[in-house]
Amino acid sequence: MQRDSITGKITGPAKSTYAVLIFLPTHLDELIYPLRQRFDPLYNKVPDHITIVFPFETTMTLNDLSAIIKQELKDIRPISIELESIGDFYPASPTIYWNIKTCEPLQFLYHRLHSRLDLSIPYKQFTPHVTVAREISTHRVMLVKERIVPYLPNETFIAQTIDLVVPIAYEKWVSVRSFPLSKD
């Protein structure tokens, strides 16, 4: 329960905002950071990542939410993720991204976690990716993509953990729980 700051009335449980991500390893973060710094106005809000569950609000406690995620990840092995090519979501969204080669475990987690967290699936076609640039005008998309392509080779890494993140001061997102993937 919480007290409304204006009326003083007691209302329902407070809602908190979360997201579920896979952070890029340091060597890839160092590769993409200068590009995001130049082309993504949100570069300093969250480290480079792959979103599994997009930001959502819930009244669940952090411990309850963590227990659900931990249960769903208990049999998931580390995930091999292959980054390849550059893509974009134009004209629907002004975003250029580093594409992830088809990865069934990411697709499974996207659908399974949304279901278990009782969240509607925001995108029927889930395109796992790492955002490189956003808010680029339509007429500059190809120019920016041409500048980005030489800096992003095909890369592969093994995701060992999945993180539950929250926004804090100045909309910066930080991890509040890290869930190691099973090595069995």
Side-chain angles (χ1 to χ4, degrees):
M1 303 301 256
Q2 67 179 358
R3 187 172 298 275
D4 184 285
S5 61
I6 297 172
T7 65
K9 293 181 181 179
I10 294 179
T11 60
K15 287 187 175 182
S16 296
T17 302
Y18 298 94
V20 179
L21 313 175
I22 295 174
F23 289 114
L24 265 58
T26 303
H27 72 284
L28 295 179
D29 187 61
E30 290 170 351
L31 182 68
I32 196 171
Y33 183 83
L35 295 170
R36 285 192 64 216
Q37 188 176 25
R38 182 169 179 199
F39 297 115
D40 182 1
L42 302 179
Y43 77 95
N44 62 347
K45 303 293 184 191
V46 63
D48 302 314
H49 65 279
I50 301 161
T51 303
I52 305 295
V53 179
F54 292 87
F56 65 96
E57 288 187 335
T58 184
T59 57
M60 279 192 261
T61 67
L62 176 59
N63 287 338
D64 290 343
L65 190 57
S66 296
I68 291 170
I69 295 169
K70 185 176 182 180
Q71 176 66 27
E72 289 306 311
L73 297 177
K74 74 178 171 69
D75 295 324
I76 304 292
R77 298 178 59 75
I79 303 168
S80 178
I81 297 176
E82 295 180 57
L83 295 156
E84 62 174 11
S85 70
I86 299 296
D88 66 69
F89 291 124
Y90 283 86
S93 172
T95 304
I96 297 171
Y97 58 85
W98 199 358
N99 188 48
I100 294 173
K101 189 174 180 179
T102 301
C103 181
E104 290 304 318
L106 291 180
Q107 295 290 332
F108 172 80
L109 284 176
Y110 173 76
H111 291 284
R112 186 67 188 158
L113 287 174
H114 277 86
S115 173
R116 284 285 289 138
L117 296 171
D118 199 26
L119 301 169
S120 24
I121 295 187
Y123 305 103
K124 288 182 183 181
Q125 179 63 40
F126 174 52
T127 306
H129 65 278
V130 177
T131 299
V132 179
R134 74 177 84 226
E135 299 180 17
I136 305 295
S137 61
T138 304
H139 68 279
R140 291 189 59 222
V141 172
M142 290 310 294
L143 173 70
V144 172
K145 284 171 79 172
E146 287 173 6
R147 288 186 180 167
I148 291 172
V149 166
Y151 295 97
L152 297 178
N154 289 355
E155 293 280 347
T156 300
F157 74 96
I158 304 296
Q160 304 280 347
T161 59
I162 292 184
D163 286 78
L164 180 63
V165 299
V166 298
I168 58 170
Y170 307 107
E171 301 174 352
K172 185 172 179 77
W173 288 76
V174 298
S175 177
V176 290
R177 293 284 192 279
S178 189
F179 305 94
L181 298 177
S182 172
K183 298 202 192 286
D184 296 335

